[in-house]
Amino acid sequence: MDARFTDEDEAFRREIAGWLAANLCGEFEIVKGRGGPGDEHALFAERHAFEKRLGDDGWIGVGWPKKVGGRGCSLTQQMIFHEEYARAGGPGRVGHIGEGLLGPTLIHFGSDEQKRRFLPRILSGEEIWCQGYSEPGAGSDLANVATRAELVGDEWVVNGQKVWTSGAETSDWCFVLCRSDFDAQPKHRGISYLLVPMRQAGVEIRPIAQMTGDSEFSEVFFSDARTAANNIVGEPGGGWAVAMGTLAFERGASTLGQQMRFQNELDEIILVAQNNGKSQDPLIRQRIAQAWMGLRIQRYHALRTLAGIAEAADPPPAAMISKLFWATWHRDLGKLAMDVMGAAAELARGEPYDLTGLQRMFLFSRSDTIYAGSNQIQRNILAERVLGLPREPR
Ligand SMILES: Cc1cc2nc3c(=O)[nH]c(=O)nc-3n(C[C@H](O)[C@H](O)[C@H](O)COP(=O)(O)OP(=O)(O)OC[C@H]3O[C@@H](n4cnc5c(N)ncnc54)[C@H](O)[C@@H]3O)c2cc1C
């Protein structure tokens, strides 16, 4: 296994770093370090404009195949892209769900017509997507979805409720898991994967206030919402395989580059500790060292995974520990940040509820072990698919 970067990879690193230095300035100086977890509403219009700038120069969909308009970069280069983006203080991406989840799903499962209609507008940064999976009665167990879709003439008519829909308020489209066959058994059959426009009378969005002070997710109510008959990915009733494909993209390559963002957070914690004297506390020093080591483990694990993929074509089973490891590590980093800040952690900077980046990080990090598959669900997956233990009773 060779985990070193090639000359070509290093040249790619210089290219994206140079582009960011030349573009993340001037009118875009204010979006540096803004947006992202816990800060999703910040400067949305400006961040959307930056997304379009990325699209203009072909920096959206770097991992997508060239034949659909992407850059066709290797996984290693995708990681480099994300690393440099975070190193430069690139803003939270407003188009990450379209680029990271829906786009790869359409490339894999979509019709030619769907690829032509939807992919270019993700690549240009024009259209924003959200994910309509979870419902009040269906989270970890997605096969329980109860939102109904009926084909009436040349349209699907959708009724039901989604919840925890990130970015619903700012999205143009949602990919929605619906039940279209009400008698099918087992229950994961009969689910359809629909592409539904958000800006229509049948869609009501009710933001949910979060403890970060933001409301990046919402309840979404569909009341006779409509979408064209051909806006279905896969067969009617055959949406389960498509939905699982999207989840694999959500837990996979899209998280490879986040370590640089985590590094920025750890650097900030170390700076606070140095300034307020906590760096002299031996227990804090030990926890900082542990956090540093955990981050190195994540990086080397990512490199090992990439090298394994290059050699074996398929992700090695060990790749599946990533979500559980990073989510638990990051939740602990949030606690460390608060302990390093000490009493100051309990005070907002100003009115109303003006939190620092570390305070927001701590509060939002509580959700890391829930979304994209909770820790318990990740452990079930590892037990069954990697260790080959008996399946849990269903
Ligand atoms: C910040 C954030 C953003 C989100 N964004 C979106 C989004 O954009 N779109 C979307 O559709 N959803 C989104 N979600 C929802 C997320 O996918 C769900 O919260 C998650 O899948 C868990 O489902 P649940 O909340 O219904 O919890 P439940 O499934 O009810 O689980 C409750 C508890 O039981 C445990 N549990 C459940 N089943 C098992 C089992 N079989 N074995 C052991 N333990 C089990 C869980 O681990 C958890 O601790 C988001 C969530 C968060 C926190």
Side-chain angles (χ1 to χ4, degrees), residues 255-287:
T255 62
L256 281 176
Q258 65 190 356
Q259 293 136 38
M260 189 55 67
R261 176 165 63 82
F262 294 165
Q263 180 72 58
N264 291 346
E265 291 167 350
L266 180 57
D267 288 347
E268 202 179 331
I269 292 171
I270 293 171
L271 197 65
V272 173
Q274 284 167 340
N275 286 339
N276 72 5
K278 282 280 173 72
S279 59
Q280 300 306 313
D281 178 335
L283 291 180
I284 292 286
R285 291 169 76 89
Q286 191 172 5
R287 284 170 64 192

Side-chain angles (χ1 to χ4, degrees), residues 37-38 96-97 101 129-142 162-168 174-175 177 210 216-218 247 250-251 364 366-380 384 392-394:
H96 68 284
I97 293 181
L101 307 190
W129 284 83
C130 59
Q131 178 180 25
Y133 275 28
S134 305
E135 298 183 2
S140 302
D141 190 1
L142 271 179
K162 295 290 170 182
V163 70
W164 321 126
T165 315
S166 296
C174 184
F175 46 99
L177 284 193
Q210 287 167 283
E216 65 94 31
F217 54 33
S218 301
L247 279 185
E250 186 172 13
R251 294 166 186 168
F364 199 86
R366 308 306 297 177
S367 70
D368 289 333
T369 53
I370 301 173
Y371 67 83
S374 69
N375 271 14
Q376 290 79 6
I377 294 301
Q378 296 302 328
R379 288 196 178 94
N380 283 350
E384 293 175 10
E392 75 168 320
R394 294 186 203 270

Side-chain angles (χ1 to χ4, degrees), residues 300-374:
Y300 292 126
H301 178 65
L303 292 173
R304 178 175 69 161
T305 305
L306 293 174
I309 290 171
E311 280 163 19
D314 272 329
M320 293 173 104
I321 64 172
S322 296
K323 169 68 183 32
L324 179 64
F325 190 91
W326 77 251
T328 310
W329 177 89
H330 197 235
R331 190 183 56 186
D332 290 346
L333 189 77
K335 284 194 270 185
L336 174 62
M338 294 301 95
D339 291 341
V340 165
M341 286 177 77
E346 295 175 27
L347 296 175
R349 249 183 328 203
E351 295 286 341
Y353 206 52
D354 176 16
L355 302 181
T356 64
L358 286 184
Q359 286 170 318
R360 278 197 305 264
M361 185 274 277
F362 162 67
L363 293 171
F364 199 86
S365 71
R366 308 306 297 177
S367 70
D368 289 333
T369 53
I370 301 173
Y371 67 83
S374 69

